[in-house]
Amino acid sequence: MTEYLYKETDNLSALITAQPQLLLTLSHFGIPMGFGDKTIAQVCHEHGIDPQFFLLICEIYSNGNYIPSQASLRATPMEDLVPYLLRSHDYYLNRRLPHIGHHLEKIADMLPPRAGKAIKQFFNAYIEEVREHFAHEEKTVYPHISNLIGGKGDDFKIKDFLVSHGNLEDKLSDLVMIIFKYLPDCSGASQNENVHTPPLSPSILEGELPLSSPHNDDDAIDMIFDILQLSHDLRKHAIIEDKILGPYVKQLEKTAKP
């Protein structure tokens, strides 16, 4: 059996307490709160999830240096992979990004109009990029997996997808740096010219000065924390795609009948 930091016999509540970031993965698995002192195995069986697959995902999220080996992947049932990824897509698009967008609207409205508008446009363009990224996976990769499992051939190859798809977290880092530069300064000071700002319509933002608004600091902190948390979560999502989904589909392609 594959060795992970945690075991099937551990209490799920103890796992979440020790690794709070794993709380976000529960919705990706469709696991509701209220599991009490049940073990990981008990909760997984109640919700039709393979415990070893659950532990594999938990290992990726809780161990920053962990990359699953081929042996680990071969030993882990993958039936839950696509449902997990689909629920993740729904979580990002319909819960996490709208939540951040709500905060961003409030912060952008504190800025001079042109700067606020540019930041909103940047974020809206990012949402569309995420939506297109997920739609491409759902229209190509997941049907390809179904075809391979069902013994049907097609012309799609997972290597082409892995080469072409980008990292969704990169632009979030750009957004954070933009916010740091143009966020209202509670002291009334001007922009910090030493902060590197990613390209964002310099002609639009040139000369804009932030407005002082000390009572909105908590909103800004909450929003930046949410963005950084989402960036971390998307980085793990990318590892799952590259290091689990990719090898899994490649193995299916090797064993598929011509």
Side-chain angles (χ1 to χ4, degrees), residues 119-188:
I119 289 176
K120 290 178 184 179
Q121 289 176 337
F122 184 92
F123 184 69
N124 289 335
Y126 174 74
I127 290 177
E128 286 307 307
E129 182 178 332
V130 173
R131 196 181 308 277
E132 291 175 6
H133 179 104
F134 290 161
H136 178 63
E137 291 178 18
E138 293 171 12
K139 292 177 181 178
T140 58
V141 181
Y142 303 163
H144 178 58
I145 293 174
S146 297
N147 287 340
L148 292 173
I149 293 175
K152 300 177 183 177
D154 58 40
D155 295 329
F156 183 84
K157 295 296 181 185
I158 191 64
K159 63 180 179 61
D160 298 327
F161 167 77
L162 295 174
V163 168
S164 63
H165 88 298
N167 293 325
L168 293 175
E169 70 272 16
D170 290 345
K171 283 193 176 179
L172 287 177
S173 298
D174 291 348
L175 179 60
V176 168
M177 296 311 298
I178 292 165
I179 292 168
F180 280 151
K181 185 171 179 68
Y182 293 100
L183 194 67
D185 186 347
C186 295
S187 68

Side-chain angles (χ1 to χ4, degrees), residues 52-70:
Q52 282 300 300
F53 179 78
F54 179 85
L55 289 172
L56 172 64
I57 299 299
C58 289
E59 192 73 15
I60 289 174
Y61 271 82
S62 57
N63 185 345
N65 297 318
Y66 178 73
I67 300 296
S69 66
Q70 289 296 320

Side-chain angles (χ1 to χ4, degrees), residues 101-113:
H102 173 72
H103 283 294
L104 188 67
E105 286 278 342
K106 295 169 66 175
I107 298 301
D109 288 342
M110 295 158 52
L111 300 174

